[in-house]
Amino acid sequence: MLTISSNVTLADWEIDISQIRAQGAGGQNVNKVASAVHLRFDILSSTLPPLYKERLMALSDQRISKEGVVIIKAQSHRKLELNKEDALARLKELIQSATKPQKVRRATKPTKGSQRRRVDHKTRKGKIKSLRGKVPAS
């Protein structure tokens, strides 16, 4: 059972965890031991509240497919148990990040002083650059 918040939990049957072989270079056990974890979680058929489902489906995360399946691959550790914990923690973090309210962006304007300083700086640079021309022959 995975606890998301005080009133939201996910049952074990909702999360499909399978063992796979980790990618990349390895030692003697690389072709024998399946220590990586492939976690699959179907958002639409889960027991999450509708608000959670809507927000998760609206996320533009590459781990969420168009069908609403979250796929997480964990292979950073050498032990299967640690990779399982890592995958579950990443799923929990993803669900919690979807439920946080986004800050509303307020449009701002530059101050008069900053506008004046920018223009003054531009005119000074322009004067310096105008002095870089060829020296007139006397």
Side-chain angles (χ1 to χ4, degrees), residues 70-89:
V70 178
I71 301 170
I72 296 176
K73 184 176 182 181
Q75 61 179 8
S76 59
H77 303 285
R78 291 180 66 173
K79 291 189 176 181
L80 179 69
E81 293 80 20
L82 292 176
N83 282 329
K84 277 185 184 179
E85 290 174 12
D86 183 36
L88 289 171

Side-chain angles (χ1 to χ4, degrees), residues 45-92:
S45 67
S46 69
T47 58
L48 284 174
L51 176 72
Y52 282 62
K53 290 181 183 182
E54 289 173 19
R55 294 232 177 126
L56 277 171
M57 292 301 289
L59 279 180
S60 61
D61 196 312
Q62 65 185 10
R63 297 173 289 185
I64 302 174
S65 67
K66 292 177 185 172
E67 295 81 29
V69 178
V70 178
I71 301 170
I72 296 176
K73 184 176 182 181
Q75 61 179 8
S76 59
H77 303 285
R78 291 180 66 173
K79 291 189 176 181
L80 179 69
E81 293 80 20
L82 292 176
N83 282 329
K84 277 185 184 179
E85 290 174 12
D86 183 36
L88 289 171
R90 284 163 47 191
L91 176 65
K92 181 178 178 178

Side-chain angles (χ1 to χ4, degrees), residues 2 8 76 81 87 95-96 125:
L2 181 65
V8 177
S76 59
E81 293 80 20
I95 295 172
Q96 286 176 341
K125 280 289 185 185

